[in-house]
Amino acid sequence: MLTTKLLKQNIIILSAAATLTLSTGIQAHEREYNQRAIYKQLDLTEQQHQDLREVKKQTKDDTHVYKQDLKQLEQQLKTLIQSERWDAESARALIERRQELKSELALTRALNHNYLWNVLDDSQQHKFTELTARKFDRKDIRQDKDSRHPLKRLNRLDLTEAQQQQISALLEQQKHQQSDIRQAVKAKKQDMLRLVRSTEFDQAQWQVIQQEMKESQVALAMSFSQTRHQIWNLLDEQQQGKMANMKKRQGHGDKKRKHRESV
């Protein structure tokens, strides 16, 4: 029988797989802290406030251009994941196309954020970096405290002992497969962040790093998607329905949370 500790560790990974959203470059950092709250603490001038508003609007417009295409790709990938047969070739094609779109969007956002970074004076840049680091630390603490929540959600599926054992084995295998890849991607994202926070944005170097990251990110996405497919097909129809509803509720909750953070 699985121990509670082992199951809890693996369910945390399942929760991440169930809500997979791979990002590139500064996009990942944007979601991890509320930039608006940070900028409020920088004593911005009126001109800096105006620059901030313009960059936010430009970023929103850029996102809108890609949003519909990304949404369609996500839906197609979801259909593959929830099918009886795993079509690896089709999944890779969808994931590679999605990665290309996200890379294009990430570059545009990076250029916008580099411009805004250089609007700040040295003191504001230093404070921005400090506040960002603190929010990363608090996020890690919250994740540790909230580790029980994914387990509670999965318990609603009323998994049998056999299902728990099978899911645990799949997630443990995925964990080992992704460990080295995750570290490599994390290091590249730090390189990208340094480019964003530079005096002159080196677009050629950014694209080199993106290309180096591409295969790793595709490999991560393929691993996540195949594991989700396998887990989905371990569930009966009633459990699948419950999981689908849980994802919908989680999506609504994420939208409400983002709205609260933006106020």
Side-chain angles (χ1 to χ4, degrees):
M1 180 180 295
L2 291 174
T3 66
T4 301
K5 182 178 180 181
L6 178 58
L7 181 57
K8 184 182 295 186
Q9 291 173 339
N10 286 328
I11 297 312
I12 294 171
I13 305 173
L14 171 60
S15 177
T19 58
L20 173 65
T21 306
L22 288 178
S23 303
T24 59
I26 194 65
Q27 278 182 281
H29 297 278
E30 288 173 354
R31 279 195 298 274
E32 294 192 41
Y33 54 81
N34 184 352
Q35 286 194 344
R36 178 178 294 187
I38 291 179
Y39 282 117
K40 285 181 178 179
Q41 302 179 60
L42 299 183
D43 299 321
L44 298 178
T45 65
E46 181 55 39
Q47 181 59 52
Q48 287 175 323
H49 277 295
Q50 179 63 30
D51 290 334
L52 175 59
R53 287 190 290 268
E54 290 178 359
V55 168
K56 287 181 63 178
K57 182 181 183 304
Q58 184 62 52
T59 301
K60 183 177 180 180
D61 292 343
D62 294 336
T63 302
H64 180 73
V65 171
Y66 293 92
K67 188 174 181 180
Q68 192 59 39
D69 287 342
L70 287 170
K71 185 177 180 179
Q72 291 177 356
L73 289 171
E74 293 290 353
Q75 184 56 50
Q76 292 174 43
L77 185 57
K78 178 181 177 181
T79 299
L80 284 178
I81 288 170
Q82 295 182 358
S83 63
E84 293 185 5
R85 185 179 66 85
W86 176 243
D87 187 342
E89 184 176 349
S90 296
R92 174 172 281 275
L94 289 173
I95 288 171
E96 287 181 342
R97 177 55 183 155
R98 182 181 65 180
Q99 192 59 46
E100 289 173 3
L101 290 175
K102 288 190 173 184
S103 294
E104 293 172 11
L105 179 56
L107 173 58
T108 303
R109 285 181 166 177
L111 289 167
N112 291 342
H113 282 277
N114 176 255
Y115 168 78
L116 192 57
W117 173 258
N118 285 291
V119 166
L120 303 177
D121 61 32
D122 291 344
S123 176
Q124 290 169 326
Q125 289 178 350
H126 180 71
K127 189 172 183 179
F128 184 94
T129 302
E130 282 190 339
L131 292 171
T132 300
R134 291 176 193 171
K135 284 189 173 288
F136 279 136
D137 291 340
R138 287 199 294 272
K139 182 176 183 294
D140 290 338
I141 293 173
R142 287 198 303 272
Q143 285 180 331
D144 291 338
K145 290 182 177 179
D146 293 343
S147 61
R148 69 189 67 183
H149 296 316
L151 179 60
K152 288 182 178 179
R153 288 197 295 269
L154 197 69
N155 281 342
R156 299 173 191 170
L157 298 182
D158 299 320
L159 296 177
T160 65
E161 184 175 339
Q163 286 175 319
Q164 291 178 6
Q165 291 175 340
Q166 289 172 302
I167 290 173
S168 178
L170 286 172
L171 295 175
E172 192 64 26
Q173 180 183 22
Q174 176 186 270
K175 181 179 178 181
H176 289 306
Q177 288 175 341
Q178 295 183 352
S179 179
D180 292 340
I181 300 177
R182 283 183 174 280
Q183 289 301 316
V185 169
K186 184 177 180 180
K188 293 298 181 183
K189 286 182 178 180
Q190 288 300 318
D191 291 340
M192 285 179 154
L193 186 59
R194 281 190 285 272
L195 288 177
V196 169
R197 296 180 181 178
S198 61
T199 303
E200 294 185 9
F201 185 81
D202 189 338
Q203 183 170 333
Q205 183 60 27
W206 171 278
Q207 292 174 323
V208 168
I209 296 173
Q210 277 194 325
Q211 187 61 37
E212 291 173 348
M213 287 177 61
K214 180 180 177 181
E215 190 56 39
S216 293
Q217 290 179 312
V218 169
L220 278 174
M222 285 291 291
S223 176
F224 266 124
S225 299
Q226 185 171 10
T227 300
R228 288 172 63 190
H229 168 78
Q230 292 170 316
I231 291 172
W232 177 263
N233 282 284
L234 286 175
L235 306 177
D236 60 33
E237 291 185 7
Q238 185 177 7
Q239 291 169 327
Q240 289 175 349
K242 285 183 178 180
M243 176 170 274
N245 288 332
M246 286 163 54
K247 291 179 183 179
K248 288 181 181 178
R249 288 196 295 270
Q250 182 176 347
H252 292 318
D254 289 342
K255 288 181 180 178
K256 290 180 180 178
R257 174 181 55 76
K258 289 179 181 178
H259 175 71
R260 287 196 302 269
E261 291 179 346
S262 66
V263 174

